[in-house]
Every structure is written in C-alpha cells, then in structure tokens.
Amino acid sequence: MKFGHIFAEAFRAMLANPLRTMLTMLGIIIGIASVVLMLAIGDGIKKFIDKQLAVLGSNLILVQSDTRKSPGARARTGTTQTLTIDDAEAINRLSSVAGAVPVLNTFSQIAYGNTNANAQVQGTTSATFVIRNLRLGAGIGLSEVDVTSASRVAVLGKKIAEELFYKNDPIGQSIRIDNQSFQVIGVLDNEGQSFDMGDVGQIVLVPISTARVSLVRMQTPRSVAYIVAQSKTAEGVNEMVRDIEEVLRDRHRIRADDPDDFRVVNFGEIAKQGEAIGKGLAFALGFIGAVSLVVGGIGIMNIMLVSVTERTREIGIRMAIGARPSDVLWQFLIEAIAICLVSGIVGIAISMGLAAAVNATGMFELTVGVRAILIATLFSGFIGVFFGFYPARRASKLQPVECLRYE
Amino acid sequence: MLTDSTRTQDGNQRALIDVIDVKKSYVTNLVTTPVLHGVNFSMQRGEFVAIMGQSGSGKSTLMNILGCLDTPSGGDYLLDGKQVSALSRAQLAVLRNKTIGFVFQSFNLLKRMTIQDNVALPLIYAGVSRAEARRRASQQLENVGLGEYGQRQPNQLSGGQQQRVAIARALVADPPLVLADEPTGNLDTKTSVEIMSLLTRLNREAKQSIILVTHEPDIAAYASRLVRLKDGLVLYDGPAATGLQQMRSEQSEQELGMPANEVSE
C-alpha cells in the first residue's frame, strides 16, 4: 500500500468527524503556536539587541555625573556637572580604553530656509564616529580641528537631513541651530535607536567646543553631560570600568571612604538584562507550549484509541481482504501524524498572524523564520508518531476474526 | 466473463484445498473448549461446495480456518499447496489477498469510500497502482452489472446491489477461491435468487471455485457438493442433491418422533 494512498485515507478519516478532529487538534495548535512564537521572540530580541549594539558600537560604557553623598540636600543625577573635558581626555589615555568622548546634549530648533525641525543636538568629538560605528552617507565627519577651533559645522542624521532638505544635497548648505548659523559637512547613514542618542536618524552632531560656546550653558566652562568610553575588548569592559573609577576618584580628589561623584552605566549589562527578560519570556512561552503539546498529544492518543475501537469492524474487513498488520499500523499512525501536521501548519499560521499583528504596531519586530517553521513541523510530526504509535499498534494486533464479529 | 486466470496453469493435479484432521479448540479462562475434532475434506479447482451445519457445529470455525482468518490448533490445512498453519500474520494477510475473495452476510463494504474504491481495495493492498486498481475495479463492476454505480457511496445502494459490489471486490484480485459466508442472510428471497444465480454463473462459466457457508437448504441447493458438519466432525460429504434429500428425511423423522416440537435448521 502506497503512502500517498494512506495519506488520502487519513484525511478522509479526519473529515469524517470534523468537529472531533478540530477539538483534538486544538491542543497541538496552541502548543505549536507557542513554540513558534517563543522562537520568534527569542530571535526578535536577539536581533533588536544586535541592532542596538551595531548602532551604538559594542563594549561601551557611559560615565555620568552623580551627586556626592555629602551632608545636606542631594540633587538629581546629572544635574551637577562634575565631569569635564579633561576627565574625558584622562580616560582616553587609559590603556584599557579604545576611545572616550565627552558629550553635551541639547534639544534645539533646526532651520533651513522655510523648513524647521526640532532635534537632539549632541556636542562631541571626532572619536564618537569610531566608537559608535557611525557611518557617513555623504560628506565628512567632525575632525579634531573642528573641535579645537570650535567650527560652526554639523553632521546630520539621515531622517533630519531628508526632513530639511528633501532631495536636495545638504552638504555645504547653511542651517540654523537655535538661530545660529552652522554649515552641514556630512550626513549619517545609520538607522535605529541608540541608548543615549535616541533615534540616530534624528541626531545632529556638532563639535563639543562649539556646543559649549553657542548652544549649551553649563555651570563651569569645561563641564560635560557625560562621557562615553569603549574598551579594547569585550572581556576588558570590567577592567576598564575599574580603571575609570580609579582615575576619576583620583582626579576629583575623593577620599577613600567617600562615595563616587559619578556613575558608570554599562550598556552591555543593560543589553544583557534585556536579553535575560527576553529569555524569560521565551522560556515561559516554551513551557506553555510544551505542556500544551503533551496535553494535546494525550488527547490525540485518546481519540485514536476511540477511533480504533469504533473502526474495529473496518479493521477486520481490511485485514480479511489482505491488509497486513503493518498496513493497519501505518494507516492509524499516519492518521495521527496527519492530524498533528495539520495542527502544526495551523499553529504556524496563527503564530505568523500574531507576529504580523505585533510587527504592525512597530514597537517590536517578530519574524517567524524558516528554522522555527522547520522545528515546529518536525516537532508536530514527532508528537504524532509518539502518541499515535500505541493506538496504531493496538489496531494492528487485533485479530481479524474478532473484528469481523464486532458490531 | 472473467479474465483468463493463472489457476488453470498448474491444472487440476493439486487440490485447491486439503484439510487433514484439522482440530481447533478455544482456550478461555484456562478452560479448553474443543470445537473441531478432526475435520477431513478436500476440494478441487472449479468445485462449488456448500458447507452446512447447525449453530455449534463448528461451521463458523471451519469457515475462519478455510479463510485463513484463523489457524488450526492441530492437523494440516493446505491452501493452494501452501501449509497455512506455518504462516505468520503478515503472510496470512498476503495469502488471503491473493488467494481468497470474501463475500460476507452483512456485505462489509467500507463507508466513506466510493463503490469503485471499495472494489479496488484488495488490489491497493496487493501493491497495484491506484489508476490500474480503479480500472480493474470498474471492469469488475461491469461484470456484476453495476458499471454505472462506481462513484456512489455504499449506503446509496440496495442490499442486493451492495452484495454484488462485495462479489466484485472478492473477484477483483482474481483469487482461486471465493468464500461466501451466508451471502443471502440479509437479503429477501428474490434478491437471494439473483445473488445465487450470479455465483452459480461464475462457477459454471469461469470455473470459479466457491465455498458457500449457509444454513438454508434452498441456498445450499445451488452448490454441486455438500459438506455437513455436526459437533465438529464431517457428517456428510457428497453430492448436494443427495445430501439435501437425506437432510429432509432426517427432519421429517424428527418431526414424526417429536410432533410437539417444531425443529428447524
């Protein structure tokens, strides 16, 4: 007996009792959908984090000013400016540091001709392009000379450049930031979100010296909002953090038993936390999926046993006219597998629908990959074999004489 | 009417069926119930044999053994020269598929399957391609006069038509033996005559070997030879006409002896 024929019969048997078949399939459908979503969420979070790190640059930390725990009032983090450009340079000189950039931030109105937009303007140094993996779509980046001479030049994010210039070439054009004239020298190619810059497409980069003079008022002239540093290796991040703490405590003359007046934020740690949350969510879904698949599998076994009993006479007739025990075994086994595979396909379709719904919100990207589909299909087939085998074997062991007598 | 068959190739030298001292007992709850006490009988190709017997005579048990649905506990059963008791379940299935065509009392067609697919099923199990199996099934349906019913479902046919479909299914793989177990048990008299005429025609025209199990003397009369069983032994084996005559006289003797009791077979 050929497999195509057995499959055709299996589908006919499934359609003979559609409601029962559908209810039987439900457990497997839910289980497979959960498993596929679990894999999609896992992949989605990994992709999200990879994308973040790609935009941000890897092995980065951020040093923020923090208030000292001195007697009296305690101000909010970042409101006092204890970090300076000189601190950044000192950090830059550390052997464990690949590069360090000081940052000044402001939110300003950007205008070109009649159009204007609001954007985050970040005053920084040329090293920011290296440590953050910033690529230029057109023009050039900030240079050391721009920083030392406080040039009025700006590098625009991709989206803000499009917003202001539409299809015209922005390079060399003059824009106004807070009513002060700047020349556009470059446009970034990067997309996506960064931890401290927000949407990279909406950022405007200017030399930190220019920002300090023209855009940002600080309590002390050399103060910066924060410093971003990159370690030379992924393993060296913690060592770098220790080095930075040491050099800053020394420079700020903090006594041994006093707390730091700065705070180190490890982006890698944040990414890891995100990953852990994602893994937890995926694990929970995977658990629901596994339970659902086992319960669904037991349901299939139950229904197959009922089906074998109901069709005892059919089995007898088939055996009488020449079905071998193995033919009967295959018939019922393939029926169980077919139920599971159809459930698997429905489950995959449902998870794809849910993924599309999540993607439509734009908050998070879920992709049901070929790998997830393959795993789900194999898994549902395996459940069919596992839970279908016993009923099928029971059918194959029936005696034709007794089956034909069965009413 | 039948396609020329392989059964004439090895001629009539070897008997189709040889039952030698076959015993069968059933074991239930450690109690052994003997049903067949040593049945001997053989059958040549082309014969039309009726097997009769009261309930408990071992008629059904012998039928199951002859049909390779069950194996004897003692003695030898040779079907088409093959020693049946030595075969595994799978080998028995293949033997049934190739050698025996079954016709049952309750037709036993598969629901949810077209008439054509029902008839084609033995060929499917024999490994014949679906297209070829369907072609041969249609041909066989023509032969039993149901050519245009191929695409119907079994429940859309009358009892007599269903039984003719069952006969077509029994014949489709061209088996040397047709085993009909009470084929008219669920049919009215007129349809019974039609079915028995069909079987008789098959035997006469195509030299189809047929074993007919029945308890009705009228039906057994269509056969040429009669085997009567009683208490697990062969009571009579000979020409059907003589055997039935003998049965009638036995019955009237019983009626004379016990006029108050209406005993019927």
Side-chain angles (χ1 to χ4, degrees):
Chain A
M1 195 152 179
K2 302 199 171 57
F3 275 94
H5 195 90
I6 309 181
F7 260 106
E9 287 206 5
F11 283 111
R12 191 151 45 194
M14 282 167 71
L15 291 173
N17 212 330
L19 180 67
R20 189 167 86 181
T21 307
M22 224 177 66
L23 290 174
T24 310
M25 282 165 49
L26 213 55
I28 304 291
I29 291 173
I30 293 169
I32 290 292
S34 309
V35 168
V36 171
L37 278 179
M38 169 194 86
L39 292 169
I41 287 175
D43 285 356
I45 283 174
K46 203 173 164 328
K47 232 188 230 169
F48 181 74
I49 286 167
D50 285 351
K51 214 165 143 191
Q52 289 263 308
L53 290 178
V55 168
L56 190 78
S58 44
N59 310 328
L60 292 185
I61 59 114
L62 186 146
V63 188
Q64 266 184 317
S65 311
D66 201 355
T67 48
R68 289 179 73 167
K69 239 188 206 148
S70 49
R74 186 187 166 124
R76 251 178 67 205
T77 301
T79 49
T80 55
Q81 288 115 20
T82 54
L83 293 171
T84 63
I85 292 180
D86 308 308
D87 287 336
E89 270 160 25
I91 290 170
N92 202 14
R93 280 195 296 271
L94 288 169
S95 62
S96 53
V97 173
V101 290
V103 175
L104 276 176
N105 270 326
T106 175
F107 204 75
S108 303
Q109 193 189 49
I110 321 289
Y112 170 71
N114 293 332
T115 49
N116 70 81
N118 283 297
Q120 189 185 5
V121 178
Q122 194 163 82
T124 185
T125 61
S126 58
T128 200
F129 289 87
V130 182
I131 69 171
R132 290 186 196 267
N133 291 341
L134 295 179
R135 295 182 308 276
L136 286 155
I140 51 166
L142 303 174
S143 67
E144 300 229 15
V145 178
D146 291 330
V147 177
T148 45
S149 61
S151 326
R152 291 179 173 272
V153 292
V155 173
L156 303 184
K158 205 176 179 176
K159 285 184 201 162
I160 191 101
E162 261 170 41
E163 210 175 309
L164 290 175
F165 294 94
Y166 188 52
K167 279 182 180 165
N168 301 322
D169 184 12
I171 308 298
Q173 300 292 328
S174 181
I175 56 168
R176 300 182 74 78
I177 303 174
D178 278 354
N179 260 333
Q180 300 180 70
S181 181
F182 281 78
Q183 191 186 24
V184 179
I185 58 166
V187 176
L188 294 175
D189 190 36
N190 299 57
E191 282 173 359
Q193 299 283 323
S194 155
F195 281 100
D196 71 312
M197 295 197 286
D199 187 344
V200 175
Q202 299 274 13
I203 198 90
V204 174
L205 297 174
V206 297
I208 190 163
S209 45
T210 322
R212 191 180 63 217
V213 172
S214 317
L215 303 172
V216 190
R217 299 275 167 267
M218 299 298 271
Q219 291 165 351
T220 50
R222 295 190 71 78
S223 285
V224 296
Y226 54 86
I227 298 163
V228 177
Q230 184 185 38
S231 79
K232 282 183 175 149
T233 60
E235 300 76 36
V237 174
N238 291 332
E239 190 199 329
M240 176 180 75
V241 170
R242 275 195 302 279
D243 289 350
I244 289 171
E245 282 169 352
E246 198 178 315
V247 77
L248 287 181
R249 284 178 74 88
D250 186 46
R251 288 176 56 85
H252 296 184
R253 299 178 203 290
I254 299 165
R255 276 175 301 182
D257 46 350
D258 280 353
D260 297 341
D261 64 349
F262 57 90
R263 210 159 63 98
V264 177
V265 182
N266 188 341
F267 288 143
E269 292 288 306
I270 292 173
K272 264 186 212 149
Q273 275 171 25
E275 217 162 339
I277 291 167
K279 270 186 188 153
L281 190 62
F283 182 80
L285 260 177
F287 184 75
I288 293 169
V291 169
S292 189
L293 285 175
V294 170
V295 173
I298 292 168
I300 282 182
M301 194 168 182
N302 193 14
I303 285 298
M304 289 311 293
L305 284 172
V306 171
S307 176
V308 168
T309 310
E310 274 182 357
R311 285 153 68 187
T312 302
R313 199 174 175 86
E314 178 193 323
I315 294 166
I317 298 166
R318 286 175 181 275
M319 284 181 161
I321 64 175
R324 287 163 298 178
S326 61
D327 289 324
V328 174
L329 183 114
W330 277 115
Q331 189 192 336
F332 281 91
L333 191 57
I334 285 185
E335 200 172 311
I337 294 171
I339 289 175
C340 289
L341 284 182
V342 171
S343 313
I345 290 164
V346 174
I348 290 168
I350 287 176
S351 59
M352 279 175 147
L354 285 174
V358 170
N359 291 345
T361 65
M363 273 148 53
F364 193 75
E365 200 184 331
L366 285 177
T367 22
V368 177
V370 177
R371 189 177 64 111
I373 290 172
L374 225 70
I375 289 175
T377 310
L378 284 176
F379 213 80
S380 52
F382 169 77
I383 286 172
V385 173
F386 188 83
F387 289 99
F389 187 76
Y390 174 69
R393 202 173 126 86
R394 204 152 113 159
S396 75
K397 294 234 159 175
L398 290 172
Q399 293 297 324
V401 176
E402 276 146 42
C403 293
L404 286 169
R405 220 179 281 144
Y406 188 88
E407 286 301 327
Chain B
M1 66 163 283
L2 277 173
T3 51
D4 84 314
S5 54
T6 52
R7 77 193 75 130
T8 47
Q9 281 170 7
D10 45 22
N12 290 339
Q13 296 95 333
R14 202 169 59 193
L16 177 59
I17 282 178
D18 257 317
V19 176
I20 305 153
D21 197 28
V22 159
K23 295 188 174 78
K24 179 73 183 177
S25 33
Y26 291 102
V27 183
T28 42
N29 297 333
L30 303 172
V31 181
T32 308
T33 319
V35 179
L36 297 179
H37 296 280
V39 172
N40 287 288
F41 114 94
S42 70
M43 175 180 173
Q44 301 303 317
R45 280 154 218 280
E47 277 195 280
F48 188 174
V49 181
I51 296 177
M52 290 189 80
Q54 289 170 305
S55 319
S57 62
K59 182 180 56 170
S60 302
T61 306
L62 181 62
M63 214 278 317
N64 288 337
I65 289 172
L66 291 176
C68 300
L69 294 166
D70 211 343
T71 47
S73 353
D76 288 317
Y77 171 34
L78 284 100
L79 174 61
D80 208 11
K82 285 191 194 72
Q83 177 62 264
V84 172
S85 42
L87 299 179
S88 70
R89 292 189 65 203
Q91 287 169 320
L92 283 174
V94 173
L95 185 64
R96 283 195 297 271
N97 183 250
K98 299 224 180 308
T99 320
I100 304 166
F102 286 92
V103 180
F104 300 96
Q105 178 175 359
S106 46
F107 324 135
N108 279 349
L109 300 179
L110 294 182
K111 290 172 274 179
R112 306 197 304 262
M113 239 191 214
T114 62
I115 294 302
Q116 190 188 39
D117 284 348
N118 260 288
V119 176
L121 200 56
L123 293 175
I124 297 288
Y125 281 122
V128 175
S129 77
R130 196 201 287 237
E132 170 70 5
R134 283 192 168 154
R135 193 185 62 74
R136 283 169 68 179
S138 299
Q139 210 179 336
Q140 206 55 247
L141 280 169
E142 296 274 347
N143 288 347
V144 297
L146 291 172
E148 68 270 38
Y149 291 85
Q151 294 312 311
R152 298 219 190 163
Q153 301 284 319
N155 57 9
Q156 295 171 310
L157 266 57
S158 73
Q161 285 170 328
Q162 286 193 48
Q163 195 59 301
R164 279 196 280 167
V165 172
I167 292 172
R169 182 179 65 184
L171 295 173
V172 77
D174 210 5
L177 176 65
V178 166
L179 197 55
D181 183 16
E182 305 270 12
T184 58
N186 285 5
L187 301 174
D188 60 42
T189 318
K190 184 169 163 284
T191 328
S192 297
V193 171
E194 279 173 30
I195 293 296
M196 289 319 297
S197 311
L198 177 58
L199 289 175
T200 312
R201 188 159 61 91
L202 282 170
N203 175 250
R204 298 236 174 96
E205 290 174 10
K207 297 277 167 281
Q208 176 68 54
S209 319
I210 300 173
I211 293 178
L212 170 72
V213 179
T214 184
H215 65 273
E216 290 173 82
D218 295 350
I219 297 300
Y222 284 90
S224 47
R225 179 176 155 198
L226 177 70
V227 174
R228 278 182 73 198
L229 288 182
K230 194 176 186 185
D231 301 330
L233 286 167
V234 174
L235 181 70
Y236 172 89
D237 184 355
T242 324
L244 289 167
Q245 187 84 49
Q246 198 179 318
M247 258 179 75
R248 266 195 293 276
S249 53
E250 274 171 38
Q251 212 165 343
S252 43
E253 269 170 43
Q254 269 182 334
E255 274 166 25
L256 283 173
M258 294 176 275
N261 271 349
E262 289 278 326
V263 180
S264 63
E265 281 279 53

